Amino acid sequence: MHIGVPKEIKNNEFRVGLTPASVHEFTVHGHRVTVESGAGIGIGAGDDDYRAAGAEVAAAPAEIFAAADMIVKVKEPQAGERALLRPGQILFTYLHLAPDPEQTRDLVKSGAICIAYETVTDAAGGLPLLSPMSQVAGRLAVQAGASALERAHGGSGILIGGVPGVSPAKVLVVGGGVVGENSIEVALGMGADVTVVDRSLPTLARLAKRFGPALSTRYSTKAALDQLVPASDLVIGAVLVPGAAAPRLVTAAHVKAMQPGSVLVDVAIDQGGCFETSHATTHENPTYVIDGVVHYCVANMPGAVPRTSTHALNNATLPFGLALADKGVAQALAEDAHLMNGLNVCRGKVTHATVAHDLGYDYTAPAVALAG
């Protein structure tokens, strides 16, 4: 199979779909890989590193999209990239379609076979290709929030861990999944006063067992959020409903009740955001202020640390990418129900039930769409 790796073009996105080590794995398996010139600069990998790994280097993305059987990326294809997709071509990347009707429309129109990292599952009920970036984003959320709390960045001027004799920041984590757990770990490590809310009692029990009495746990209800959000200096939104738009749990009224200079970090922004006042921002302009509250809503947070993020992502995606290349898309999906769960759009049909529901498309079973 011919694998194409274009350079990411989303604002300040420096990750890359394949590292040189991953390229080498594909070539050892007998596949051809073409990488766009400069695609790996953000992770410290030059064109010569990719050539040494066995890749060809192309000057422009159009060459890659025109020739490759499978496109491997990190972020969802931008409008210009979507226009280059062709019927039957495999796209393997993050998509986050539920809050993005324009992208969904273009992918349906393209006739491509689009497999989303974020909806591939595993036997334990987890999301193995989302988890590494959730770990990164959860840790970054605390860093970003701590920075935004600084007075020079619009915050209230609170040091997240305080100092002896001065109270630390009150941090509320909404959602106790992978993002939330990593946020809790870092926030507690920095000395913050941390509370987590979640609707899963087993999740709260697991977190309480791991972090002990340093972490306060609350069952997530409207009443709990009414009490906790206004009292928090930093709120981290870590809510995920796989494949679906995130629920807006923190309302505009909650934001209005917060103290000026408080900070919201919405890690769920890729799925539309879990704060009513959220809208996507970029690394170039990461924050905005509503009712005196600083909002950090960067839609590709792990792109801030592309070396760590790319290597972590490739560790997870490589086995699935090799299966697609070695077996072909139909056989690879048929033999792996978890990879089949990643199929979101196929040959003009929406094949993920939640995406179809949220965006008003007819749902087509993945096996039916593949056969068609």
Side-chain angles (χ1 to χ4, degrees):
M1 186 177 285
H2 188 176
I3 315 301
V5 184
K7 185 176 181 179
E8 297 293 324
I9 60 173
K10 191 164 186 171
N11 182 280
N12 280 271
E13 180 54 72
F14 300 109
R15 289 173 289 179
V16 62
L18 294 179
T19 64
S22 294
V23 166
H24 183 66
E25 289 297 314
F26 276 98
T27 59
V28 165
H29 281 238
H31 304 295
R32 178 184 175 190
V33 181
T34 302
V35 178
E36 184 179 351
S37 180
I41 294 299
I43 66 165
D47 293 350
D48 286 344
D49 295 308
Y50 280 102
R51 291 189 181 98
E56 303 167 30
V57 175
E63 298 177 42
I64 292 172
F65 280 87
D69 303 306
M70 178 166 67
I71 300 294
V72 178
K73 283 176 44 61
V74 178
K75 290 305 293 177
E76 72 279 359
Q78 305 301 291
E81 296 173 311
R82 299 195 296 265
L84 297 174
L85 290 167
R86 63 179 194 273
Q89 190 171 43
I90 304 164
L91 174 65
F92 192 38
T93 188
Y94 288 116
L95 294 176
H96 300 290
L97 293 179
D100 195 345
E102 291 185 3
Q103 184 194 176
T104 306
R105 179 200 64 210
D106 289 349
L107 294 184
V108 168
K109 183 180 178 181
S110 75
I113 300 170
C114 307
I115 303 169
Y117 293 161
E118 74 274 7
T119 62
V120 174
T121 56
D122 62 23
L127 303 170
L129 306 193
L130 185 62
S131 182
M133 296 304 93
S134 295
Q135 292 170 341
V136 172
R139 291 165 183 260
L140 278 175
V142 182
Q143 289 184 202
S147 177
L149 278 170
E150 295 175 15
R151 185 64 181 168
H153 297 155
S156 57
I158 293 176
L159 181 65
I160 196 168
V163 293
V166 181
S167 297
K170 291 183 180 296
V171 177
L172 175 63
V173 179
V174 183
V178 177
V179 170
E181 185 169 1
N182 280 269
S183 292
I184 291 164
E185 181 179 357
V186 173
L188 286 176
M190 295 176 73
D193 178 355
V194 185
T195 299
V196 61
V197 295
D198 198 283
R199 286 185 176 271
S200 167
L201 290 177
T203 294
L204 293 176
R206 174 178 54 80
L207 294 172
K209 182 177 181 180
R210 177 182 174 189
F211 295 109
L215 174 67
S216 296
T217 62
R218 290 282 297 274
Y219 186 75
S220 182
T221 62
K222 183 179 183 300
L225 292 172
D226 288 347
Q227 176 192 2
L228 292 169
V229 173
S232 299
D233 302 301
L234 168 61
V235 179
I236 296 173
V239 178
L240 175 68
V241 179
R248 298 294 182 97
L249 299 181
V250 174
T251 67
H254 288 142
V255 174
K256 196 174 186 68
M258 296 179 76
Q259 292 297 310
S262 300
V263 175
L264 300 177
V265 178
D266 197 342
V267 186
I269 195 65
D270 276 326
Q271 292 293 125
C274 62
F275 305 146
E276 189 176 1
T277 49
S278 291
H279 63 75
T281 61
T282 66
H283 289 292
E284 190 173 37
N285 294 293
T287 64
Y288 59 91
V289 178
I290 292 178
D291 290 328
V293 176
V294 181
H295 292 59
Y296 180 100
C297 303
V298 174
N300 57 327
M301 286 180 65
V305 286
R307 294 193 188 208
T308 298
S309 297
T310 297
H311 287 283
L313 180 60
N314 271 230
N315 290 343
T317 58
L318 181 60
F320 294 96
L322 287 172
L324 289 166
D326 290 347
K327 301 175 181 180
V329 65
Q331 183 181 345
L333 295 181
E335 292 181 0
D336 187 344
H338 296 297
L339 184 56
M340 181 75 89
N341 287 336
L343 189 65
N344 279 214
V345 176
C346 180
R347 305 187 193 279
K349 306 293 183 181
V350 176
T351 54
H352 192 283
T354 306
V355 172
H357 176 270
D358 284 0
L359 295 180
Y361 284 87
D362 292 331
Y363 167 70
T364 302
V368 173
L370 279 169

